Amino acid sequence: MDPSIDTKPPDETLEQGRNCIHSHVHKCFFYIVDMTMAAKGDSVHVSVLSQIVSQLSMKESIVKSTMINDLRKQINQIPFYLTKKNGSFKEFLHEVLSAMKIATTNRHADQLRKIVLLTYKMMFIEEHQRLWTTYLKSGQGQLLNSSEQQESKYPVHFNIWSNELKATVRKSMRMNTNNEDEICTKFVQNYLNELKEQLQQYENGLIKSKKDFAEYTVAVNSMIKRYIEIPLLGIHREIDYQIELIYYDYHIQALKRVFEQQNPTKYQVDFDH
């Protein structure tokens, strides 16, 4: 094969192209800022600057929209455990309808299945809320509770954003040590708001669907949630793992800050690295 031919995967090549474009956009942005300041009010430069700022804001919105769309795709990928083809699920629906003293007709089974799926989607969203709330707590210095703080021996609650989150944020906007806290806070809070809105949509649909069953009780709701916990177990463990990584990243960065606060010598710094 000719070594001059680029054999990189299409996705990797495309990503490099996007990064190159984004780099040029940012350079262009700061060049225009300088030109605008020099022009001192030149309406043409101000207009171009406004367009660039709008493009950068649009890029941030696109990244967040993509994240939400990806999440929706995951939610809509209903596990086989909750499909009509699954015999165990059919038996479960019959069991719940019998508990409500309702005949197991196709219409009743479909109505109940809709309730189960909406409950599943809500619980799926709640798992991701748990993850992103942990991101926020870490960044706002609220990750460790009182006992954990005492065990850690850290003199203060550090505001630490995980490296994984910062890598995600950098895909949508320019960030440095001066604006890192503000940008990460805004990004996480906005995403949590998106999750909250999505959760509210499912909750509204669930309330409407429950009206089809006057016999729907708290006990029935508990039966459904216990059943859903099984297909959600893998997602729950994955979120637990990601949260553990946030804690791990927090302790690593916190220890580094404690070390730096001791005013180490150049030899100690070199040895640490």
Side-chain angles (χ1 to χ4, degrees), residues 8 32 39 46 51-52 57-58 72 97 145 152 177 179 183 202 206 234 242 251 255 269:
K8 294 180 180 178
I32 293 175
V46 171
Q51 292 177 19
I52 295 296
S57 298
M58 186 181 300
R72 286 172 182 159
L97 290 171
N145 57 37
S152 69
T177 54
N179 63 10
I183 288 179
Y202 293 139
L206 184 60
Q242 293 185 55
H251 286 297
L255 287 171
V269 172

PDB file of all heavy atoms in Angstrom, residues 8 32 39 46 51-52 57-58 72 97 145 152 177 179 183 202 206 234 242 251 255 269:
ATOM      1  N   LYS A   8      -6.315   6.433   7.631  1.00  0.00           N
ATOM      2  CA  LYS A   8      -7.027   6.638   8.894  1.00  0.00           C
ATOM      3  C   LYS A   8      -8.513   6.398   8.696  1.00  0.00           C
ATOM      4  O   LYS A   8      -9.046   6.653   7.622  1.00  0.00           O
ATOM      5  CB  LYS A   8      -6.815   8.069   9.412  1.00  0.00           C
ATOM      6  CG  LYS A   8      -5.370   8.354   9.819  1.00  0.00           C
ATOM      7  CD  LYS A   8      -5.253   9.772  10.325  1.00  0.00           C
ATOM      8  CE  LYS A   8      -3.815  10.083  10.739  1.00  0.00           C
ATOM      9  NZ  LYS A   8      -3.677  11.471  11.193  1.00  0.00           N
ATOM     10  N   ILE A  32     -10.258  39.220  14.942  1.00  0.00           N
ATOM     11  CA  ILE A  32     -11.316  40.214  14.718  1.00  0.00           C
ATOM     12  C   ILE A  32     -11.496  41.088  15.949  1.00  0.00           C
ATOM     13  O   ILE A  32     -11.793  42.285  15.849  1.00  0.00           O
ATOM     14  CB  ILE A  32     -12.637  39.522  14.339  1.00  0.00           C
ATOM     15  CG1 ILE A  32     -12.479  38.854  12.974  1.00  0.00           C
ATOM     16  CG2 ILE A  32     -13.800  40.482  14.311  1.00  0.00           C
ATOM     17  CD1 ILE A  32     -13.674  38.027  12.546  1.00  0.00           C
ATOM     18  N   ALA A  39     -10.219  49.552  15.427  1.00  0.00           N
ATOM     19  CA  ALA A  39     -11.125  50.379  14.637  1.00  0.00           C
ATOM     20  C   ALA A  39     -11.936  51.332  15.506  1.00  0.00           C
ATOM     21  O   ALA A  39     -12.414  52.353  15.041  1.00  0.00           O
ATOM     22  CB  ALA A  39     -12.077  49.491  13.842  1.00  0.00           C
ATOM     23  N   VAL A  46     -17.596  45.495  13.983  1.00  0.00           N
ATOM     24  CA  VAL A  46     -18.526  45.132  15.052  1.00  0.00           C
ATOM     25  C   VAL A  46     -19.530  44.107  14.559  1.00  0.00           C
ATOM     26  O   VAL A  46     -19.870  43.143  15.238  1.00  0.00           O
ATOM     27  CB  VAL A  46     -19.257  46.379  15.592  1.00  0.00           C
ATOM     28  CG1 VAL A  46     -20.371  45.964  16.549  1.00  0.00           C
ATOM     29  CG2 VAL A  46     -18.270  47.302  16.291  1.00  0.00           C
ATOM     30  N   GLN A  51     -21.220  38.285  14.504  1.00  0.00           N
ATOM     31  CA  GLN A  51     -21.489  37.030  13.790  1.00  0.00           C
ATOM     32  C   GLN A  51     -20.629  35.893  14.332  1.00  0.00           C
ATOM     33  O   GLN A  51     -21.101  34.776  14.511  1.00  0.00           O
ATOM     34  CB  GLN A  51     -21.214  37.215  12.304  1.00  0.00           C
ATOM     35  CG  GLN A  51     -22.194  38.144  11.594  1.00  0.00           C
ATOM     36  CD  GLN A  51     -21.823  38.336  10.135  1.00  0.00           C
ATOM     37  OE1 GLN A  51     -21.079  37.556   9.569  1.00  0.00           O
ATOM     38  NE2 GLN A  51     -22.338  39.398   9.537  1.00  0.00           N
ATOM     39  N   ILE A  52     -19.355  36.185  14.623  1.00  0.00           N
ATOM     40  CA  ILE A  52     -18.458  35.154  15.146  1.00  0.00           C
ATOM     41  C   ILE A  52     -18.918  34.685  16.521  1.00  0.00           C
ATOM     42  O   ILE A  52     -18.942  33.486  16.827  1.00  0.00           O
ATOM     43  CB  ILE A  52     -17.006  35.679  15.241  1.00  0.00           C
ATOM     44  CG1 ILE A  52     -16.474  35.973  13.844  1.00  0.00           C
ATOM     45  CG2 ILE A  52     -16.116  34.665  15.948  1.00  0.00           C
ATOM     46  CD1 ILE A  52     -16.370  34.747  12.955  1.00  0.00           C
ATOM     47  N   SER A  57     -21.542  30.556  20.029  1.00  0.00           N
ATOM     48  CA  SER A  57     -22.670  30.209  20.892  1.00  0.00           C
ATOM     49  C   SER A  57     -23.487  29.086  20.268  1.00  0.00           C
ATOM     50  O   SER A  57     -23.970  28.186  20.951  1.00  0.00           O
ATOM     51  CB  SER A  57     -23.563  31.434  21.118  1.00  0.00           C
ATOM     52  OG  SER A  57     -22.853  32.460  21.769  1.00  0.00           O
ATOM     53  N   MET A  58     -23.635  29.164  18.929  1.00  0.00           N
ATOM     54  CA  MET A  58     -24.383  28.123  18.222  1.00  0.00           C
ATOM     55  C   MET A  58     -23.667  26.779  18.355  1.00  0.00           C
ATOM     56  O   MET A  58     -24.298  25.738  18.518  1.00  0.00           O
ATOM     57  CB  MET A  58     -24.512  28.493  16.743  1.00  0.00           C
ATOM     58  CG  MET A  58     -25.399  27.530  15.940  1.00  0.00           C
ATOM     59  SD  MET A  58     -25.475  28.011  14.196  1.00  0.00           S
ATOM     60  CE  MET A  58     -26.181  29.669  14.351  1.00  0.00           C
ATOM     61  N   ARG A  72     -31.488  10.477  24.119  1.00  0.00           N
ATOM     62  CA  ARG A  72     -32.821  10.032  23.694  1.00  0.00           C
ATOM     63  C   ARG A  72     -32.750   8.742  22.893  1.00  0.00           C
ATOM     64  O   ARG A  72     -33.612   7.864  23.024  1.00  0.00           O
ATOM     65  CB  ARG A  72     -33.490  11.134  22.868  1.00  0.00           C
ATOM     66  CG  ARG A  72     -33.972  12.329  23.694  1.00  0.00           C
ATOM     67  CD  ARG A  72     -34.447  13.437  22.800  1.00  0.00           C
ATOM     68  NE  ARG A  72     -34.863  14.601  23.587  1.00  0.00           N
ATOM     69  CZ  ARG A  72     -34.942  15.831  23.099  1.00  0.00           C
ATOM     70  NH1 ARG A  72     -34.638  16.057  21.828  1.00  0.00           N
ATOM     71  NH2 ARG A  72     -35.324  16.831  23.866  1.00  0.00           N
ATOM     72  N   LEU A  97     -52.065  -6.683  35.937  1.00  0.00           N
ATOM     73  CA  LEU A  97     -53.494  -6.487  35.637  1.00  0.00           C
ATOM     74  C   LEU A  97     -54.369  -7.304  36.580  1.00  0.00           C
ATOM     75  O   LEU A  97     -55.426  -6.829  37.036  1.00  0.00           O
ATOM     76  CB  LEU A  97     -53.770  -6.858  34.177  1.00  0.00           C
ATOM     77  CG  LEU A  97     -53.204  -5.903  33.130  1.00  0.00           C
ATOM     78  CD1 LEU A  97     -53.348  -6.501  31.729  1.00  0.00           C
ATOM     79  CD2 LEU A  97     -53.915  -4.552  33.191  1.00  0.00           C
ATOM     80  N   ASN A 145     -18.925  14.546  51.865  1.00  0.00           N
ATOM     81  CA  ASN A 145     -19.726  14.895  53.038  1.00  0.00           C
ATOM     82  C   ASN A 145     -18.791  15.126  54.223  1.00  0.00           C
ATOM     83  O   ASN A 145     -17.565  14.998  54.105  1.00  0.00           O
ATOM     84  CB  ASN A 145     -20.759  13.807  53.344  1.00  0.00           C
ATOM     85  CG  ASN A 145     -20.127  12.441  53.567  1.00  0.00           C
ATOM     86  OD1 ASN A 145     -19.050  12.338  54.150  1.00  0.00           O
ATOM     87  ND2 ASN A 145     -20.788  11.394  53.101  1.00  0.00           N
ATOM     88  N   SER A 152     -10.379  12.537  54.585  1.00  0.00           N
ATOM     89  CA  SER A 152      -9.465  12.922  53.510  1.00  0.00           C
ATOM     90  C   SER A 152      -8.300  13.773  54.002  1.00  0.00           C
ATOM     91  O   SER A 152      -7.264  13.842  53.352  1.00  0.00           O
ATOM     92  CB  SER A 152     -10.238  13.707  52.438  1.00  0.00           C
ATOM     93  OG  SER A 152     -10.630  14.979  52.931  1.00  0.00           O
ATOM     94  N   THR A 177      -7.864  28.421  32.453  1.00  0.00           N
ATOM     95  CA  THR A 177      -7.933  28.360  33.917  1.00  0.00           C
ATOM     96  C   THR A 177      -8.707  29.534  34.515  1.00  0.00           C
ATOM     97  O   THR A 177      -9.240  29.429  35.616  1.00  0.00           O
ATOM     98  CB  THR A 177      -6.508  28.345  34.511  1.00  0.00           C
ATOM     99  OG1 THR A 177      -5.764  29.477  34.007  1.00  0.00           O
ATOM    100  CG2 THR A 177      -5.788  27.063  34.134  1.00  0.00           C
ATOM    101  N   ASN A 179     -11.487  31.050  33.166  1.00  0.00           N
ATOM    102  CA  ASN A 179     -12.942  30.960  33.001  1.00  0.00           C
ATOM    103  C   ASN A 179     -13.475  29.534  33.158  1.00  0.00           C
ATOM    104  O   ASN A 179     -14.649  29.273  32.914  1.00  0.00           O
ATOM    105  CB  ASN A 179     -13.367  31.515  31.637  1.00  0.00           C
ATOM    106  CG  ASN A 179     -12.783  30.714  30.477  1.00  0.00           C
ATOM    107  OD1 ASN A 179     -12.215  29.645  30.654  1.00  0.00           O
ATOM    108  ND2 ASN A 179     -12.924  31.239  29.269  1.00  0.00           N
ATOM    109  N   ILE A 183     -17.547  28.462  33.105  1.00  0.00           N
ATOM    110  CA  ILE A 183     -18.018  27.742  31.923  1.00  0.00           C
ATOM    111  C   ILE A 183     -18.512  26.346  32.282  1.00  0.00           C
ATOM    112  O   ILE A 183     -19.572  25.915  31.824  1.00  0.00           O
ATOM    113  CB  ILE A 183     -16.905  27.673  30.862  1.00  0.00           C
ATOM    114  CG1 ILE A 183     -16.708  29.059  30.238  1.00  0.00           C
ATOM    115  CG2 ILE A 183     -17.232  26.652  29.788  1.00  0.00           C
ATOM    116  CD1 ILE A 183     -15.624  29.128  29.188  1.00  0.00           C
ATOM    117  N   TYR A 202     -41.788  12.986  30.226  1.00  0.00           N
ATOM    118  CA  TYR A 202     -42.162  11.593  30.487  1.00  0.00           C
ATOM    119  C   TYR A 202     -43.133  11.504  31.662  1.00  0.00           C
ATOM    120  O   TYR A 202     -44.072  10.696  31.649  1.00  0.00           O
ATOM    121  CB  TYR A 202     -40.913  10.757  30.786  1.00  0.00           C
ATOM    122  CG  TYR A 202     -39.994  10.591  29.602  1.00  0.00           C
ATOM    123  CD1 TYR A 202     -38.609  10.666  29.740  1.00  0.00           C
ATOM    124  CD2 TYR A 202     -40.500  10.333  28.329  1.00  0.00           C
ATOM    125  CE1 TYR A 202     -37.764  10.504  28.656  1.00  0.00           C
ATOM    126  CE2 TYR A 202     -39.663  10.171  27.238  1.00  0.00           C
ATOM    127  CZ  TYR A 202     -38.299  10.261  27.404  1.00  0.00           C
ATOM    128  OH  TYR A 202     -37.472  10.103  26.313  1.00  0.00           O
ATOM    129  N   LEU A 206     -46.808   9.934  31.771  1.00  0.00           N
ATOM    130  CA  LEU A 206     -47.126   8.874  32.723  1.00  0.00           C
ATOM    131  C   LEU A 206     -48.402   9.192  33.497  1.00  0.00           C
ATOM    132  O   LEU A 206     -49.262   8.323  33.699  1.00  0.00           O
ATOM    133  CB  LEU A 206     -45.953   8.681  33.686  1.00  0.00           C
ATOM    134  CG  LEU A 206     -46.070   7.535  34.693  1.00  0.00           C
ATOM    135  CD1 LEU A 206     -46.221   6.202  33.971  1.00  0.00           C
ATOM    136  CD2 LEU A 206     -44.845   7.509  35.617  1.00  0.00           C
ATOM    137  N   GLY A 234     -27.576  -2.802  34.481  1.00  0.00           N
ATOM    138  CA  GLY A 234     -26.337  -2.521  33.765  1.00  0.00           C
ATOM    139  C   GLY A 234     -26.049  -1.032  33.694  1.00  0.00           C
ATOM    140  O   GLY A 234     -24.912  -0.594  33.896  1.00  0.00           O
ATOM    141  N   GLN A 242     -18.749   5.505  36.617  1.00  0.00           N
ATOM    142  CA  GLN A 242     -18.377   6.860  36.211  1.00  0.00           C
ATOM    143  C   GLN A 242     -18.293   7.794  37.419  1.00  0.00           C
ATOM    144  O   GLN A 242     -17.431   8.671  37.469  1.00  0.00           O
ATOM    145  CB  GLN A 242     -19.384   7.388  35.191  1.00  0.00           C
ATOM    146  CG  GLN A 242     -19.338   6.651  33.860  1.00  0.00           C
ATOM    147  CD  GLN A 242     -20.264   7.259  32.821  1.00  0.00           C
ATOM    148  OE1 GLN A 242     -20.199   8.444  32.517  1.00  0.00           O
ATOM    149  NE2 GLN A 242     -21.158   6.453  32.268  1.00  0.00           N
ATOM    150  N   HIS A 251      -9.806  13.240  44.172  1.00  0.00           N
ATOM    151  CA  HIS A 251      -8.755  13.014  45.172  1.00  0.00           C
ATOM    152  C   HIS A 251      -7.369  13.234  44.578  1.00  0.00           C
ATOM    153  O   HIS A 251      -6.495  13.803  45.247  1.00  0.00           O
ATOM    154  CB  HIS A 251      -8.872  11.601  45.736  1.00  0.00           C
ATOM    155  CG  HIS A 251     -10.028  11.415  46.676  1.00  0.00           C
ATOM    156  ND1 HIS A 251     -10.130  12.102  47.868  1.00  0.00           N
ATOM    157  CD2 HIS A 251     -11.131  10.636  46.601  1.00  0.00           C
ATOM    158  CE1 HIS A 251     -11.243  11.747  48.494  1.00  0.00           C
ATOM    159  NE2 HIS A 251     -11.877  10.868  47.737  1.00  0.00           N
ATOM    160  N   LEU A 255      -5.059  16.185  46.155  1.00  0.00           N
ATOM    161  CA  LEU A 255      -3.738  15.893  46.720  1.00  0.00           C
ATOM    162  C   LEU A 255      -2.657  16.734  46.055  1.00  0.00           C
ATOM    163  O   LEU A 255      -1.719  17.198  46.712  1.00  0.00           O
ATOM    164  CB  LEU A 255      -3.427  14.400  46.556  1.00  0.00           C
ATOM    165  CG  LEU A 255      -4.206  13.447  47.477  1.00  0.00           C
ATOM    166  CD1 LEU A 255      -3.965  12.002  47.063  1.00  0.00           C
ATOM    167  CD2 LEU A 255      -3.815  13.665  48.930  1.00  0.00           C
ATOM    168  N   VAL A 269       9.292  19.076  43.306  1.00  0.00           N
ATOM    169  CA  VAL A 269       8.372  19.125  42.179  1.00  0.00           C
ATOM    170  C   VAL A 269       8.821  18.183  41.074  1.00  0.00           C
ATOM    171  O   VAL A 269       8.021  17.429  40.515  1.00  0.00           O
ATOM    172  CB  VAL A 269       8.239  20.566  41.626  1.00  0.00           C
ATOM    173  CG1 VAL A 269       7.425  20.567  40.343  1.00  0.00           C
ATOM    174  CG2 VAL A 269       7.620  21.472  42.678  1.00  0.00           C
TER     175      VAL A 269
END
